[in-house]
């Protein structure tokens, strides 16, 4: 059966099953992100220690994700001539995406996929743009265009009686008939606990996007990380086993600290009954000072007249936990080399102090990795913007070739951006306008700077003109005095 022949109920069941598998896949990665993952090597260690302390989990997954997301800030949408599309920028801001987009980038990086959902009736008459998780949205991809041709959004609401109801919105295009070549206006079907409740036809924009092979046929845009055959892969895939290993070493180190880092005591000639208080009750000092006291009683005397052997008390040398430190450092170096993280990010440093050039060099891989994410996520943001453009009644073909403009991943802070801008100006590489772009100044701020610079330039020109007039007048005054009498009345002939 062709996909176009499926009924809305069959589409709902198909995509709901896909959401189930997406939720299962994403859960394992979010567990690592939130330090709630199943204990692979650590569970046996804790059992051997009678669960006296929790596992020590190292938050490397969050470090891998956040070091990249922190350098991702979408600033604008540019045409081929690098002029901004002001409408898309204003819609992006109206939907508070400068604040919510980092959540979308994080979710896509952790789970491998996330979604934009676009629709009418947004804030202040703009299109609505939201980020949707993979456990709420599923799409069917066209095998030719790799664009969504059907989409389902599920959500759960608590009713007044405390019961939970699952609602769904299924978006489908109006497939062309046998004698037609173009899609018609799409449809949205509303479900309640798996039962179809209502259907309605969408506006003309749904046909516009369905007939554009560069856009999805439904108002959903996939945000994929490491896309492969239309599916994304988590950024945590390669770090997963390294994290399991370092958690084992970290927990082993805790166990070692529990028993070996503090010197173990021993007593020869005593037994457990010797540890009593004034009333003869046993006191919990049999296990003291971070570990057990090793006590060995003397052998029973065969003759009462024998002299009792003396009691001996002492302690062993403490163990060095440096082997755990070195093992964890090796694993940290594996993670750093895979994800391009500088040594300082991973908590270790080299023997020689790093220079400014070496610090910049150590960031190159991280910058390149972030820029690759810019390419993936920026393409999704552009497609979402073009769908929004169609919803507002405009032709999305006018925006073919637009690209997303991101804040430079190499200069994420104002200090680093200012340093790059000053060096570029001093080296004559670019002018003031380009420096303002590097610093991320808004168009309004640039206009104020231009006005102030023009005012200062006019003031300088007037001052220069006044100085020139003063020089001319001074010269004219000197000529006028030529031939005047000086001193004893002798005339000065201008020479």
């Amino acid at each position: 059966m062709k996909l176009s022949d499926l009924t809305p109920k069959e589409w709902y069941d198909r995509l709901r099953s896909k959401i189930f598998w997406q939720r299962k896949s994403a859960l394992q990665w979010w567990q690592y992100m939130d330090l709630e993952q199943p204990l692979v090597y650590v569970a046996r260690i804790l059992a051997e220690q009678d669960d006296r302390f929790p596992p020590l989990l190292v938050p490397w997954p969050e470090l891998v994700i956040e070091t990249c997301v922190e350098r991702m800030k979408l600033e604008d949408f540019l045409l081929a001539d690098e002029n901004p599309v002001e409408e898309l920028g204003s819609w992006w801001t109206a939907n508070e995406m400068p604040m919510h987009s980092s959540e979308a980038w994080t979710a896509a990086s952790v789970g491998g996929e996330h979604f934009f959902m676009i629709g009418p009736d947004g804030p202040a008459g703009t299109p609505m743009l939201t980020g949707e998780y993979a456990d709420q949205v599923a799409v069917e991809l066209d095998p030719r265009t790799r664009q969504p041709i059907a989409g389902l959004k599920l959500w759960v609401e608590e009713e007044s009686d405390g019961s939970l109801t699952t609602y769904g919105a299924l978006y489908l295009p109006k497939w062309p008939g046998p004698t037609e070549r173009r899609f018609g206006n799409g449809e949205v079907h509303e479900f309640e606990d798996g039962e179809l409740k209502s259907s309605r036809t969408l506006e003309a924009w749904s046909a516009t996007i369905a007939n554009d092979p560069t856009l999805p046929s439904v108002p959903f845009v996939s945000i994929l990380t490491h896309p492969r055959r239309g599916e994304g892969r988590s950024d945590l895939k390669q770090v997963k086993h390294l994290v399991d290993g370092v958690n084992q070493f970290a927990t082993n180190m805790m166990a070692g600290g529990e028993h070996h880092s503090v010197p173990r005591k021993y007593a020869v000639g005593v037994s457990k009954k010797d540890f009593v208080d004034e009333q003869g009750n046993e006191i919990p000092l049999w296990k003291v000072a971070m570990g057990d006291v090793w006590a060995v009683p003397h052998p029973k005397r065969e003759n009462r007249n024998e002299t009792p052997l003396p009691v001996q008390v002492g302690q062993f040398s403490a163990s060095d936990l440096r082997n755990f430190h070195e093992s964890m450092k090796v694993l940290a170096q594996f993670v750093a080399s895979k994800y391009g993280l500088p040594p300082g990010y991973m908590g270790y440093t080299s023997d020689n102090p790093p220079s400014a050039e070496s610090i910049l060099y150590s960031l190159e891989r991280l910058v390149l990795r972030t820029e690759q994410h810019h390419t993936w996520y920026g393409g999704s943001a552009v497609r979402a913007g073009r769908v929004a453009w169609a919803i507002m009644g405009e032709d999305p073909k006018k925006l073919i070739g637009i690209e997303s403009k991101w804040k430079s991943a190499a200069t994420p802070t104002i200090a680093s951006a200012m340093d790059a801008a000053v060096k570029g100006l001093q080296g004559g590489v670019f002018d003031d306008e380009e420096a303002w772009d590097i610093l991320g100044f808004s168009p309004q701020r640039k206009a104020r700077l231009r006005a102030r610079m023009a005012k200062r330039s006019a003031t300088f020109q007037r001052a220069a003109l006044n100085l020139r007039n003063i020089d001319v007048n001074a010269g004219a005054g000197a000529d006028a005095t030529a031939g005047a009498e000086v001193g004893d009345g002798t005339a000065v002939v201008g020479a």
Side-chain angles (χ1 to χ4, degrees), residues 3-4 11 16 32 91 114 150 189 202 319:
L3 293 179
S4 58
W11 269 115
R16 183 184 62 176
Y32 275 84
W91 299 343
H114 198 66
H189 307 275
L202 299 171
S319 301

Side-chain angles (χ1 to χ4, degrees), residues 468-482:
R468 187 176 65 181
N469 291 336
I470 291 174
D471 292 340
V472 171
N473 293 333
D479 293 341
T481 59

Side-chain angles (χ1 to χ4, degrees), residues 405-423:
K405 178 188 176 185
W406 298 80
K407 186 176 179 63
S408 173
T411 56
T413 64
I414 186 63
S416 57
M418 184 68 74
D419 181 64
V422 170
K423 289 180 178 178

Side-chain angles (χ1 to χ4, degrees), residues 68 72 105 108-109 112 116 221-228 232-235 368-383 404 406:
C68 190
M72 300 178 62
W105 314 144
S109 186
F116 284 132
V221 174
S222 303
I223 310 173
L224 302 180
T225 304
H226 301 286
R228 183 185 296 174
R233 295 182 299 125
S234 173
D235 266 330
L368 292 175
R369 191 164 66 91
T370 304
E371 290 175 346
Q372 182 65 72
H373 285 70
H374 287 174
T375 303
W376 297 328
Y377 302 162
S380 300
V382 164
R383 285 193 297 276
S404 55
W406 298 80

Side-chain angles (χ1 to χ4, degrees), residues 65 69-70 72 92 97-108:
I65 299 297
V69 173
E70 288 169 353
M72 300 178 62
W92 184 266
M97 292 309 292
M99 176 177 63
H100 297 305
S101 60
S102 62
E103 180 182 356
W105 314 144
T106 299

Side-chain angles (χ1 to χ4, degrees), residues 17-132:
S17 176
K18 192 171 184 178
I19 288 178
F20 171 80
W21 290 108
Q22 288 177 178
R23 179 185 295 117
K24 184 178 180 180
S25 174
L27 178 61
Q28 61 173 322
W29 304 119
W30 282 107
Q31 287 178 331
Y32 275 84
M33 185 70 173
D34 298 331
L35 299 183
E36 297 174 350
Q37 70 268 30
L39 302 179
V40 178
Y41 306 115
V42 180
R44 181 178 177 182
I45 302 171
L46 300 180
E48 290 176 353
Q49 306 304 319
D50 299 325
D51 293 320
R52 282 185 290 180
F53 51 82
L56 180 57
L57 304 180
V58 181
W60 283 351
E62 186 177 12
L63 178 67
V64 167
I65 299 297
E66 289 191 348
T67 50
C68 190
V69 173
E70 288 169 353
R71 295 171 177 264
M72 300 178 62
K73 181 181 178 182
L74 183 60
E75 294 184 327
D76 215 335
F77 298 89
L78 303 180
L79 294 168
D81 58 2
E82 295 192 354
N83 286 322
V85 185
E86 296 181 358
E87 293 87 349
L88 295 186
S90 63
W91 299 343
W92 184 266
T93 303
N95 285 277
E96 297 184 341
M97 292 309 292
M99 176 177 63
H100 297 305
S101 60
S102 62
E103 180 182 356
W105 314 144
T106 299
S109 186
V110 173
E113 61 183 342
H114 198 66
F115 298 92
F116 284 132
M117 185 175 180
I118 313 98
D121 303 325
T126 66
M128 177 71 75
L129 177 63
T130 57
E132 306 291 341

Side-chain angles (χ1 to χ4, degrees), residues 44 100 174 197 276 292 374 378 398:
R44 181 178 177 182
H100 297 305
K174 181 65 170 66
K197 295 298 182 181
V276 295
D292 300 342
H374 287 174
K398 294 180 180 179

